[in-house]
Amino acid sequence: MDTNRPISRSAFLKLSTRWLAGLLAAPITGFSYSRWLEPKWIETNYLQLPYTSLPRAFHLKKIVLFSDIHLDFHFGIHRLGQLIERIRKLKPDLICFTGDLFHESVESHASSTIRLLSLLEAPLGKWAVLGNHDYTAGAKDVERVLSSGGFTLLRNRSVTLEHGGSQIRIAGLDDALEGSPNLDFALADEGSREHDPAAFTLFLAHEPDLAEYAASYRVNLQLSGHSHGGQVRIPLVGPLILPDLARRYPEGLYRIADEMYLYTNRGIGVSSYPVRFLCRPELTVITLESTEA
Ligand SMILES: [Fe+2]
């Protein structure tokens, strides 16, 4: 075959047209994928965390974590129903929601949201904290929806969870950007005198970067959201935009200290822009493992 033969004019035109079509199609396909497909393509991540400080009674208990739904911002009640069904199938022992249930307003979906949240079942409880967008939507209204849906809202307080003759502590912080957070009330012995200060502590805070401060207290597992993982992640570059208090720990598992982990969930919905790229919405299933001697 003669590889030096000059390309014909018609072959050149054909090749050029294909290249041009490819160049035009790539951004259109990329945009369609990030606008219509990836935001609806929920990934369920599973992990198991070992603790010497976890009582044996809580060994292999399963936490399902979800966050940042932003209802009414490119996320309707139908998709909430699908999400609830998906969480139910995971058969959680404990359900944690780390804020931003609504985007801007509660009114249009309050009763249907209460009905759907009520369908969630977990023998060790359904726990929640507020996010910054919940304040935009109206903190009192969001609190009413969450509690009517069977969730216990933790605003700068902790609660003792008893099971099998043992106790752990579950604590939650008010939103750090729009609310009135107080780590002493949420976590310090002064704020929870009735609790055993040595108890294993699960801590919910909307903003993940608060882990830096929470590490000064007795916290074994902090669960957060807020970052949305950046929503758009460019290969070799990383997330394009991260909000305040989600820049240091934007996504996934971090070991903050001995016996203290942080998990930042990428959220279910979208915020600011209705796109996701290489940053799928996420449900997290965390199994606690007691390595107590
Ligand atoms: Fe959010």
Side-chain angles (χ1 to χ4, degrees), residues 24-249:
L24 288 174
I28 294 170
T29 308
F31 176 78
S32 303
Y33 169 78
S34 55
R35 174 69 183 85
W36 304 110
L37 291 179
E38 191 170 306
K40 296 177 181 170
W41 190 19
I42 296 174
E43 179 179 22
T44 305
N45 284 326
Y46 295 84
L47 62 152
Q48 185 158 327
L49 296 178
Y51 290 98
T52 55
S53 52
L54 182 74
R56 287 298 298 178
F58 289 85
H59 181 58
L60 298 185
K61 292 299 173 203
K62 195 198 295 177
I63 302 170
V64 171
L65 164 66
F66 69 114
S67 194
D68 297 85
I69 290 176
H70 291 257
L71 251 174
D72 243 2
F73 184 72
H74 303 277
F75 194 101
I77 206 72
H78 177 67
R79 281 179 65 196
L80 181 64
Q82 292 174 328
L83 173 72
I84 297 298
E85 194 46 39
R86 197 168 170 143
I87 296 174
R88 281 170 57 85
K89 283 184 181 158
L90 291 168
K91 299 198 181 309
D93 293 300
L94 190 137
I95 296 174
C96 294
F97 175 68
T98 47
D100 283 1
L101 178 58
F102 293 92
H103 189 68
E104 283 180 342
S105 162
V106 173
E107 285 166 27
S108 53
H109 290 316
S111 55
S112 34
T113 304
I114 291 169
R115 180 179 57 78
L116 288 171
L117 292 179
S118 302
L119 296 175
L120 290 174
E121 291 170 356
L124 297 181
K126 307 191 302 193
W127 308 90
V129 287
L130 295 178
N132 49 316
H133 279 270
D134 292 320
Y135 272 87
T136 310
K140 278 198 173 146
D141 290 334
V142 179
E143 182 170 0
R144 181 178 58 82
V145 169
L146 282 166
S147 56
S148 303
F151 277 76
T152 302
L153 184 66
L154 298 166
R155 291 173 87 172
N156 301 328
R157 68 187 180 103
S158 60
V159 170
T160 297
L161 203 53
E162 292 200 24
H163 175 69
S166 297
Q167 296 181 343
I168 65 170
R169 181 167 73 140
I170 178 160
L173 191 70
D174 197 10
D175 180 70
L177 292 171
E178 303 292 339
S180 306
N182 190 318
L183 279 165
D184 277 344
F185 286 168
L187 288 167
D189 301 340
E190 290 79 12
S192 50
R193 286 187 190 284
E194 71 272 29
H195 306 303
D196 171 9
F200 179 94
T201 300
L202 177 62
F203 176 53
L204 311 185
H206 184 59
E207 287 88 359
D209 291 0
L210 294 166
E212 282 179 65
Y213 307 100
S216 315
Y217 298 83
R218 174 64 191 254
V219 170
N220 297 98
L221 175 59
Q222 177 180 326
L223 301 178
S224 296
H226 184 54
S227 70
H228 294 225
Q231 280 189 201
V232 173
R233 301 174 69 89
I234 307 298
L236 305 177
V237 175
L240 276 192
I241 302 168
L242 289 168
D244 282 349
L245 294 178
R247 298 198 173 111
R248 185 160 181 181
Y249 305 113

